[in-house]
Amino acid sequence: MTNLASNLVATAQAHPDSVAIKLDDAELTWSQLFGLAAQTAGALKKAGIEPGDRVALILPNIPAYPILFYGTLLAGGTVVPLNPLLKAGELEYFFGDSGADLAFVWGDFAPEAVAGAEGLDTKVIVSGPLGPNVEDLPAGDPIAVPVERADEDTAVILYTSGTTGKPKGAELTHKNLRLNAERSAEVIMEMSPDDVIMGCLPLFHVFGLTCGLNAAVRRGATLTLIPRFEPGKALEVIERDKVTIFQGVPTMYGAMLHHPAASSTDTSSLRTCVSGGSALPEDTMRAFEETFDAQILEGYGLSETSPVASFNMPDAPTKPGTIGRAIPGCEMKLIDEDGKDVPAGGGVGEIVIRGDNVMKGYWRKPEETSAAIPDGWFRTGDLATVDEDGYYTIVDRKKDMIIRGGMNVYPREVEEVIYTHPDVVEVAVVAIPDELMGEEIGAAVALKPDATATLEDIQAYVKERLAAYKYPRRIWTLDELPKGPTGKILRREVHAPAE
């Protein structure tokens, strides 16, 4: 059975009474989760949802998410996960582009969803903690056997952030997601039914969906949810639920590390932490591992690769600052601007990927698909180096590179140095248009509450540690840097103040 939902069927049979999903005091066992998903599937079928039809989920991390996600898959539908914080105009685009028949939304976000669906064929249904009310989605006969789907049928349409033009829907197949969850669980996290996973990454994001929810379903581990990440709450849940696997982005690790409760919370259950989304500063990694006595494994992936492509894996030495090696079933290499391979130690090239994790294509966008995957290799737009052991180090996003007076400056390299300053919590380095140099280097920093350093001090600190053409000529403070739904700092939202 190819349908991704067959993993839920198998786990519910193997571990019926084990806890599948937790949210504070609320718990669902595997048999309960499966039962509710099967009821949802029957209701969807009665509502007219047929195999391949799109169902949007606009929900925070609550038990309804896995119920509706797997219910849709059991019925043969395609899930369209969307950020609950999207506004009506944005939702109008996503509903229209995906052709979603139904959209399940948490009550707080319903007004925007209803406004976004106006004039479209998308029916908006409000969901409670365990799914919609029966009057909003009448019951049908439960579907306990997943509707047959082929390996290459689309299970999920995930919209990419759209840094260049309108967001595109990456079509991830049942095979893409099944194998990526399996490898994430087994090869990277060495997950077992005894594990408790921290579910603070949003489930509408591919990292949380694959490495959190789908991996837990595959292995029968418990997923303990936090609807919105807050470092104090995360520490409390680690202690309360004896969390063994933490999944986060760099800003989450930094926030927990600097939280007043970090030293007094019992986090002895923690075994493995995985980080992705953006580069984790080495100082943060070392300090976190020392404070919490748990290994951090850093990796890399994209929406288009389901997401995991490479990782520092537990069966080999970890190399801080790298994104590790390609996972099984995935090939990675570097190419230059002419499309020629860049060998190990041969300098910077663009990462290209092929394997069973690479998406089928962009939803209804054949030209964009051909441009992204012209020859079977997906063009990531990320620049990296690779060493003799096959470990990749991201240098930067191709489009983020700053060219100052003809010299290439990679923001990540400058950020790494600024992060080592003891008063800095967050930083983003961006290009500022400049008449003389073409582009100048700017840095937005968020400082610790007790910081004593001035901006001039930080600038001098960086100037001492980097080549003269690399240090930021303009530097300014923000209370907090703009972030995406997973907590990843959004460079494209950082702009130099006018003065």
Side-chain angles (χ1 to χ4, degrees):
M1 174 67 74
T2 288
N3 192 322
L4 179 63
S6 57
N7 283 345
L8 177 59
V9 178
T11 297
Q13 288 170 349
H15 310 285
D17 301 322
S18 298
V19 176
I21 304 292
K22 265 182 76 72
L23 175 59
D24 293 330
D25 295 333
E27 290 185 353
L28 288 177
T29 64
W30 286 109
S31 61
Q32 288 171 328
L33 175 59
F34 174 55
L36 290 165
Q39 286 173 23
T40 298
L44 288 172
K45 184 179 179 183
K46 187 166 184 183
I49 294 297
E50 295 180 359
D53 286 352
R54 274 78 58 208
V55 175
L57 300 186
I58 311 170
L59 304 165
N61 284 14
I62 55 173
Y65 207 108
I67 292 166
L68 291 168
F69 180 83
Y70 276 96
T72 301
L73 294 179
L74 279 167
T78 298
V79 182
V80 183
L82 296 171
N83 186 336
L85 300 180
L86 291 168
K87 298 298 183 187
E90 296 165 306
L91 289 169
E92 181 184 8
Y93 170 75
F94 291 122
F95 291 159
D97 189 71
S98 67
D101 293 287
L102 293 178
F104 291 106
V105 61
W106 183 243
D108 293 356
F109 313 114
E112 296 290 344
V114 169
E118 205 172 315
L120 298 173
D121 294 329
T122 306
K123 182 183 179 187
V124 175
I125 296 177
V126 174
S127 172
L130 296 177
N133 295 323
V134 74
E135 57 267 23
D136 295 323
L137 190 69
D141 296 328
I143 297 176
V145 177
V147 169
E148 185 70 60
R149 302 301 280 151
D151 270 357
E152 296 309 314
D153 283 336
T154 304
V156 169
I157 297 174
L158 266 171
Y159 280 89
T160 62
S161 52
T163 49
T164 53
K166 287 281 193 188
K168 301 184 288 286
E171 288 189 77
L172 302 179
T173 67
H174 287 268
K175 181 182 179 183
N176 286 153
L177 291 167
R178 191 180 72 247
L179 291 176
N180 209 248
E182 203 167 286
R183 285 164 184 151
S184 300
E186 294 171 16
V187 180
I188 299 163
M189 293 175 281
E190 297 179 328
M191 195 183 287
S192 81
D194 298 326
D195 277 310
V196 178
I197 305 164
M198 169 67 83
C200 56
L201 287 167
L203 296 177
F204 59 79
H205 189 273
V206 68
F207 188 4
L209 183 65
T210 292
C211 299
L213 177 59
N214 291 344
V217 170
R218 166 72 187 149
R219 300 297 278 176
T222 298
L223 183 67
T224 181
L225 298 171
I226 298 182
R228 184 175 174 276
F229 177 78
E230 194 279 312
K233 179 66 175 179
L235 290 166
E236 178 193 315
V237 171
I238 290 170
E239 179 175 277
R240 183 194 73 201
D241 294 343
K242 307 267 186 292
V243 170
T244 57
I245 298 173
F246 183 90
Q247 303 168 346
V249 293
T251 48
M252 292 179 179
Y253 289 102
M256 287 165 63
L257 183 61
H258 297 301
H259 193 272
S263 55
S264 58
T265 304
D266 179 6
T267 58
S268 57
S269 58
L270 267 187
R271 182 186 83 244
T272 301
C273 301
V274 293
S275 180
S278 58
L280 180 67
E282 284 188 45
D283 282 20
T284 303
M285 180 187 280
R286 287 198 195 92
F288 190 96
E289 288 185 335
E290 201 173 296
T291 303
F292 296 103
D293 191 27
Q295 183 181 31
I296 297 181
L297 300 171
E298 192 171 8
Y300 166 79
L302 308 99
S303 296
E304 292 91 340
T305 59
S306 304
V308 183
S310 70
F311 244 92
N312 281 275
M313 290 174 259
D315 67 343
T318 61
K319 295 191 181 186
T322 76
I323 54 167
R325 300 167 294 141
I327 64 164
C330 171
E331 292 177 81
M332 286 170 59
K333 66 177 182 177
L334 302 179
I335 59 170
D336 63 19
E337 289 189 4
D338 299 322
K340 294 188 172 66
D341 291 5
V342 176
V348 176
E350 180 183 359
I351 297 176
V352 295
I353 298 171
R354 74 175 176 190
D356 51 37
N357 56 337
V358 174
M359 67 171 180
K360 181 162 127 181
Y362 290 118
W363 172 251
R364 292 178 173 167
K365 288 185 168 49
E367 286 176 17
E368 285 90 335
T369 300
S370 297
I373 318 172
D375 50 6
W377 291 88
F378 172 68
R379 305 301 201 257
T380 67
D382 286 321
L383 301 178
T385 58
V386 62
D387 68 16
E388 299 294 342
D389 299 322
Y391 285 72
Y392 288 78
T393 301
I394 296 278
V395 178
D396 233 313
R397 282 291 297 171
K398 210 171 173 179
K399 63 178 180 295
D400 284 343
M401 188 171 70
I402 301 168
I403 303 178
R404 180 183 185 274
M407 302 288 281
N408 292 350
V409 178
Y410 299 110
R412 185 68 227 164
E413 183 185 3
V414 184
E415 288 167 358
E416 278 285 355
V417 173
I418 299 174
Y419 266 120
T420 64
H421 191 286
D423 281 356
V424 172
V425 177
E426 295 174 348
V427 60
V429 169
V430 295
I432 299 173
D434 185 84
E435 281 184 20
L436 182 63
M437 290 292 176
E439 288 181 325
E440 197 49 272
I441 298 149
V445 295
L447 301 176
K448 292 178 184 173
D450 57 353
T452 55
T454 64
L455 292 179
E456 290 75 17
D457 292 340
I458 294 169
Q459 192 174 42
Y461 177 89
V462 181
K463 194 175 177 180
E464 276 176 20
R465 288 162 175 80
L466 281 179
Y469 69 89
K470 292 182 182 176
Y471 80 87
R473 298 316 198 264
R474 290 194 61 193
I475 190 164
W476 63 96
T477 56
L478 294 173
D479 290 341
E480 188 182 356
L481 269 65
K483 299 182 186 73
T486 60
K488 178 180 174 180
I489 291 170
L490 298 177
R491 272 207 202 108
R492 66 177 182 275
E493 302 287 331
V494 175
H495 307 288
E499 68 276 16

